Amino acid sequence: MARKNVAAGNWKMNTNISQGIELAQTISNAGRDKEVLVILAVPFTHIFALQKKVKTSSKVILAAQTCHHKTSGAYTGEISPTMLADMKVPYVVLGHSERREYNHENNSLLAAKLRAALDAGLKVIFCCGESLEIRKAGTHISYVKTQLTESLFQLDAQEMKNIVIAYEPIWAIGTGETASPVQAQDMHAAIRDMLRKKYGKRVADNTSILYGGSVKGSNAKELFGQADVDGGLVGGASLNGQEFVQIINSF
Ligand code: 13P
């Protein structure tokens, strides 16, 4: 089984429900040049309406942008992985740098969230990536290795089938500054090598690794053309239906 091409949109805290429906319809109605798994990580408030109004099935599937690490309890404002599974949401994004920064999510909390999400039957897009300071210091590969080792690598080889990794350098998120195709490829190859060492060739070859950080219609083709880049996790450009369709058709 070869790994999949994945185009994932992360809407973050954007759009109202009617805008979300229109956007998702544009994406699900568009033609596809190739087989691509399209995932939309939408606000919790949109999930029910999108399931009703958009043909989510095989053309577009939904993800939540985070979940709690417990299944239920006195955690005001939180959404548990079992609630998402109950709503038949297949994916959840965990470890996004914005959650790490603004919600103080560290590697050990993310390990607990990963455990809870997989136990609930969800698949996970797991994000990693370094700050500009770390990139400048030249320690980005070992930094990402620590992020993966302290959270993701608690999983066994069988569970890794339910994981998509997204490498998102923080300095490229929402800045308009994209990692060069060579920078992306170097990190993706390093991550695949970590997977090979930890789990063996089969898991390494079959795990999709996405690049995120200012992916646009104009640069997606070159990024996705790199040997170890299996697609993108797209923020800003995923809010424009036509542009996201262009990104989906960049494989
Ligand atoms: P941008 O594409 O807006 O840089 O955001 C990337 C991102 O954070 C996706 O999760």
Side-chain angles (χ1 to χ4, degrees):
M1 185 191 75
R3 55 189 183 256
K4 290 191 176 78
N5 292 328
V6 182
N10 177 5
W11 293 2
K12 308 191 180 183
M13 197 171 69
N14 292 300
T15 72
N16 62 29
I17 291 175
S18 58
Q19 289 165 336
I21 290 170
E22 197 184 322
L23 185 52
Q25 279 171 340
T26 302
I27 294 159
S28 79
N29 291 338
R32 300 272 171 83
D33 297 342
K34 289 224 178 96
E35 182 104 5
V36 180
L37 176 62
V38 177
I39 304 174
L40 302 179
V42 303
F44 291 129
T45 49
H46 293 32
I47 291 170
F48 188 69
L50 290 177
Q51 286 173 328
K52 289 270 168 277
K53 300 268 181 175
V54 183
K55 279 190 231 96
T56 43
S57 64
S58 60
K59 287 211 83 182
V60 171
I61 64 173
L62 296 180
Q65 297 174 10
T66 183
C67 66
H68 200 257
H69 60 287
K70 295 271 173 66
T71 53
S72 65
Y75 301 100
T76 302
E78 297 291 346
I79 302 281
S80 80
T82 44
M83 290 169 173
L84 295 174
D86 188 39
M87 281 198 87
K88 311 237 175 320
V89 177
Y91 273 88
V92 62
V93 177
L94 292 178
H96 195 282
S97 59
E98 288 151 15
R99 301 281 318 170
R100 291 177 190 262
E101 182 178 355
Y102 306 132
N103 298 78
H104 314 293
E105 295 189 1
N106 59 24
N107 294 340
S108 81
L109 177 65
L110 289 167
K113 287 190 181 222
L114 268 163
R115 180 77 273 139
L118 289 188
D119 287 350
L122 301 177
K123 295 178 195 284
V124 176
I125 299 178
F126 188 76
C127 306
C128 56
E130 81 287 353
S131 64
L132 185 59
E133 204 180 1
I134 291 166
R135 169 64 61 164
K136 280 187 175 156
T139 53
H140 43 287
I141 290 181
S142 70
Y143 183 83
V144 165
K145 186 174 182 190
T146 302
Q147 286 183 316
L148 297 180
T149 305
E150 291 185 357
S151 44
L152 188 65
F153 288 176
Q154 62 167 323
L155 306 182
D156 64 29
Q158 191 65 17
E159 290 174 316
M160 288 299 290
K161 282 190 185 141
N162 300 314
I163 300 296
V164 170
I165 295 173
Y167 167 60
E168 300 204 308
I170 297 167
W171 47 272
I173 296 178
T175 58
E177 188 185 343
T178 317
S180 70
V182 171
Q183 285 173 320
Q185 168 56 24
D186 283 354
M187 179 60 89
H188 283 227
I191 292 172
R192 207 173 297 288
D193 196 47
M194 293 169 209
L195 289 171
R196 194 173 296 114
K197 289 193 175 113
K198 169 76 185 169
Y199 295 108
K201 185 173 171 355
R202 205 182 156 91
V203 169
D205 287 349
N206 290 332
T207 303
S208 295
I209 307 175
L210 315 184
Y211 168 78
S214 299
V215 175
K216 304 185 223 30
S218 56
N219 60 22
K221 210 178 194 89
E222 209 185 349
L223 286 161
F224 298 175
Q226 303 302 308
D228 288 292
V229 178
D230 305 309
L233 179 56
V234 187
S238 76
L239 296 169
N240 177 322
Q242 295 309 329
E243 185 166 13
F244 193 59
V245 168
Q246 189 188 349
I247 291 169
I248 293 168
N249 288 325
S250 296
F251 288 95

